[in-house]
Amino acid sequence: MECSEEIQQITLGSVMQIEKSISAGYDVWRNMLWDDYREEWNNCMESKLLQKLKYASQLTVQEKHIVDYILNNPEVVFDSTAHELAQQTYTSSSTIVRLCKKLGTKGYPDFQLKLALEYQRMPSALQTQDHEIAEQGNVLAAIDSVPYLYQQALDDTRRMLNAPVLLRIASWVKESVRIDVYGSDMNYYLAQQACAKWNELGISAIAHNSPNMHYLNTMNPNSLTLSFVISHTGENQSMIEAAKVLSNKQMKVIAVTGNNHSTLSRHCDETLLAYGYNEQLRLSKMSSMVSILYIFDMLYMGSISDTY
């Protein structure tokens, strides 16, 4: 009887030891996988390859041509070698590889894999380029694609936000007695919306449809006047001129643009990065509008806290 109980204890102890070994082995295996893929996963989350393709800067003429070709024909990457893609774009394999590395991948095979993974996650309506929705009037596809575009714009804008810069600008808004927002064409209507909200709080805000150079040149410098200048590319000449005049008067000027290295940004005290606008992608205009509204609404809500 005692022998039987002893055997049971030995057997139970062995089973428990085996379970611990299996559990420990699983933890080691899981940690190894996590260590291997953590950096790659973080990189993927922080900066999507498709976004890098759409808004890449400091590219050569050849590299820009390759990017445009890929954006218009993304499937070609999955079926072509670097040499074949070079032939189709009238470039060289070395240029293809150099571009892939500039975009943060290890080479062309890594670029193919990461682009395929992102492309697979996109809604089918967007996989075939946005012109199919616009030209065919596919309103049912828009039910899924429009929220996706909005969310993508909001996520990317949030990712690009610099918290200290945003807080500094929010404090400038609170200290100002007047806010001027400059924008042309579609941006003027965004400026109007931003100003209407501030005016409801009793903050004097005026939207300007293109700069009035007479007004700018004759206005008295006032540190309590805060100016926002909106330009998707940051290269709108009239917006740049407005920023120059304001900057020369030692007034605080903030650029709202999709390009942090633009001419406009160089003439402003701070830059708030919006979702980059790409003329080749029609629906990016809609995403850019959402991004700019998001930026101004954050500043508007920062103004509410002290008002109510």
Side-chain angles (χ1 to χ4, degrees), residues 123-126 130-149 283 286:
S124 58
L126 295 177
D130 57 24
H131 68 268
E132 287 195 8
I133 301 173
E135 292 179 358
Q136 296 179 13
N138 191 342
V139 69
L140 294 179
I143 293 173
D144 292 324
S145 59
V146 169
Y148 173 83
L149 287 169
L283 299 185
M286 183 167 60

Side-chain angles (χ1 to χ4, degrees), residues 37-274:
Y37 291 104
R38 175 167 44 196
E39 182 177 356
E40 184 173 352
W41 172 257
N42 287 338
N43 290 338
C44 179
M45 293 302 292
E46 289 174 2
S47 184
K48 297 177 182 178
L49 182 57
L50 281 169
Q51 296 308 308
K52 286 186 177 181
L53 271 172
K54 291 177 184 178
Y55 311 117
S57 59
Q58 299 180 338
L59 299 180
T60 65
V61 174
Q62 286 184 317
E63 289 167 347
K64 288 179 181 178
H65 171 64
I66 296 168
V67 167
D68 290 340
Y69 187 82
I70 292 173
L71 288 174
N72 290 324
N73 310 277
E75 295 92 344
V76 74
V77 175
F78 315 139
D79 301 322
S80 304
T81 64
H83 177 69
E84 291 169 340
L85 182 58
Q87 287 183 322
Q88 295 175 58
T89 55
Y90 303 99
T91 57
S92 65
S93 300
S94 59
T95 303
I96 299 290
V97 174
R98 184 170 62 248
L99 172 62
C100 293
K101 291 182 177 179
K102 274 190 178 183
L103 294 170
T105 60
K106 298 174 183 177
Y108 186 69
D110 187 38
F111 174 79
Q112 282 181 302
L113 175 61
K114 289 182 177 177
L115 184 63
L117 290 173
E118 288 192 24
Y119 190 75
Q120 185 178 4
R121 290 195 296 266
M122 295 174 66
S124 58
L126 295 177
Q127 288 182 10
T128 54
Q129 292 293 321
D130 57 24
H131 68 268
E132 287 195 8
I133 301 173
E135 292 179 358
Q136 296 179 13
N138 191 342
V139 69
L140 294 179
I143 293 173
D144 292 324
S145 59
V146 169
Y148 173 83
L149 287 169
Y150 286 176
Q151 190 60 50
Q152 184 184 46
L154 294 172
D155 288 344
D156 283 356
T157 306
R158 183 177 181 181
R159 176 176 55 81
M160 294 185 294
L161 282 175
N162 184 316
V165 170
L166 185 65
L167 288 171
R168 184 157 52 249
I169 295 172
S171 68
W172 290 351
V173 170
K174 294 175 183 178
E175 295 167 0
S176 64
V177 296
R178 174 189 169 105
I179 298 174
D180 287 332
V181 186
Y182 298 85
S184 60
D185 301 323
M186 178 186 70
N187 291 332
Y188 170 61
Y189 298 104
L190 298 175
Q192 283 184 311
Q193 292 186 52
C195 290
K197 293 171 185 175
W198 272 319
N199 284 324
E200 288 179 355
L201 300 179
I203 300 174
S204 177
I206 299 177
H208 300 268
N209 187 4
S210 294
N212 182 328
M213 297 310 295
H214 176 73
Y215 164 74
L216 286 170
N217 288 318
T218 57
M219 69 186 299
N220 294 322
N222 188 341
S223 61
L224 296 180
T225 297
L226 183 62
S227 301
F228 291 87
V229 184
I230 309 171
S231 171
H232 295 299
T233 62
E235 300 300 334
N236 183 306
Q237 196 56 44
S238 63
M239 295 296 107
I240 293 171
E241 289 301 318
K244 283 182 180 179
V245 174
L246 292 166
S247 180
N248 289 336
K249 291 179 178 286
Q250 304 299 312
M251 298 174 67
K252 290 188 177 71
V253 192
I254 297 117
V256 181
T257 178
N259 186 353
N260 197 33
H261 305 288
S262 64
T263 306
L264 176 62
S265 291
R266 290 199 295 270
H267 292 286
C268 294
D269 296 283
E270 297 289 359
T271 296
L272 288 172
L273 281 176

